Amino acid sequence: RNNHNEQGKRFAEQRNAIQAQYKEHREKLDLSLAEAKAVRAEQSLHKKRRDAIREQISDLFEKRDAQRGDRDGKKSASFEFNKLSSEVENLERAYETVGGMSQKREKETMDKIKNMRRRMSELEPEIEKLNLIKVDMSNREEAIKQLQAERDAAHELYVECKDKADEMFDVLEELFAHRDFLKGEGDRFHKEFLACREKADE
């Protein structure tokens, strides 16, 4: 009986040592998982930003190609915001520089500016949410170039995050495999310990 108890004790010590390793490894694994999730979340943000800028560029191209008048088709928040921003700027400049404006004309201009600013305030949360770029619509070609540069920068950051996340996935696979190995070893030593105790009891 004493021999079985001694052997059981050795198995219990091995089990406890493995379980301590397992606990330490789990902490390392949880930390790596949290880092990987953070990188994936950042990757998703850059992707959304890139896609939103693409939509802005697409709107500008459509507007440029249409050449005259606004069409009834759906306009994105970014396009409408930038258009209003340019119009408000032009109206304010005209109001300040053009002399001899009648009272009625002054009131109409101020009301128009006020209404445009109100609409811009309504669109602002949408712009902020997608982290869209505010561009000067008076020079459409320059605005397109600026947006293309911003889109390319967002895409580069997205690719960087993706590559980093892929590298982390390989590391995580190894960590998961080692975790499963430790768990298997801990279970094996525990079973051996139980078998020895059973023999001692007999």
Side-chain angles (χ1 to χ4, degrees):
R1 189 196 63 187
N2 288 341
N3 284 340
H4 288 311
N5 280 333
E6 279 299 316
Q7 200 174 7
K9 190 180 171 187
R10 283 196 295 274
F11 281 128
E13 284 168 359
Q14 286 174 295
R15 177 202 64 195
N16 293 343
I18 289 284
Q19 283 178 345
Q21 279 184 52
Y22 177 81
K23 190 185 172 192
E24 196 180 306
H25 186 75
R26 268 304 299 265
E27 286 169 7
K28 187 180 176 184
L29 177 58
D30 289 344
L31 188 65
S32 295
L33 268 175
E35 282 176 11
K37 278 181 185 173
V39 170
R40 287 289 183 201
E42 192 185 342
Q43 178 190 340
S44 179
L45 278 176
H46 291 312
K47 184 176 184 290
K48 279 181 187 171
R49 180 173 163 80
R50 180 200 66 191
D51 294 345
I53 296 169
R54 274 183 183 164
E55 195 181 326
Q56 277 184 275
I57 295 168
S58 176
D59 285 337
L60 281 174
F61 275 125
E62 278 175 30
K63 185 66 184 171
R64 187 188 66 180
D65 296 342
Q67 288 193 352
R68 61 161 82 177
D70 287 332
R71 297 191 170 174
D72 294 331
K74 182 188 166 203
K75 289 196 289 282
S76 74
S78 60
F79 182 82
E80 191 179 348
F81 183 91
N82 287 325
K83 185 171 181 291
L84 285 168
S85 180
S86 294
E87 284 177 9
V88 165
E89 206 177 303
N90 291 336
L91 282 170
E92 284 177 342
R93 197 182 298 117
Y95 181 74
E96 287 166 13
T97 55
V98 175
M101 203 182 268
S102 69
Q103 245 183 341
K104 187 186 173 188
R105 180 82 189 279
E106 265 187 34
K107 189 180 181 308
E108 282 174 0
T109 305
M110 289 309 292
D111 285 346
K112 203 170 182 183
I113 289 170
K114 200 187 289 178
N115 289 334
M116 285 179 174
R117 284 203 177 281
R118 191 183 297 119
R119 177 63 184 148
M120 282 168 72
S121 295
E122 289 169 8
L123 292 167
E124 190 85 39
E126 192 66 24
I127 304 293
E128 295 298 330
K129 188 172 77 181
L130 286 170
N131 202 7
L132 298 173
I133 316 298
K134 295 170 188 177
V135 289
D136 179 12
M137 292 291 287
S138 59
N139 187 342
R140 198 166 286 129
E141 294 303 320
E142 200 55 46
I144 287 171
K145 277 183 192 170
Q146 185 191 338
L147 287 171
Q148 285 172 332
E150 292 282 351
R151 175 204 61 198
D152 293 345
H155 182 67
E156 275 179 36
L157 288 169
Y158 162 75
V159 170
E160 275 176 31
C161 285
K162 187 180 179 302
D163 291 344
K164 192 176 176 184
D166 289 345
E167 281 173 25
M168 290 176 100
F169 180 76
D170 293 337
V171 173
L172 281 170
E173 270 198 323
E174 286 177 24
L175 289 172
F176 275 119
H178 192 56
R179 179 204 64 180
D180 294 343
F181 166 75
L182 289 173
K183 189 177 183 308
E185 284 295 282
D187 291 347
R188 184 170 70 81
F189 285 128
H190 184 62
K191 279 177 188 168
E192 295 283 4
F193 160 73
L194 291 176
C196 286
R197 201 166 67 176
E198 208 173 285
K199 284 175 187 172
D201 289 345
E202 283 173 12

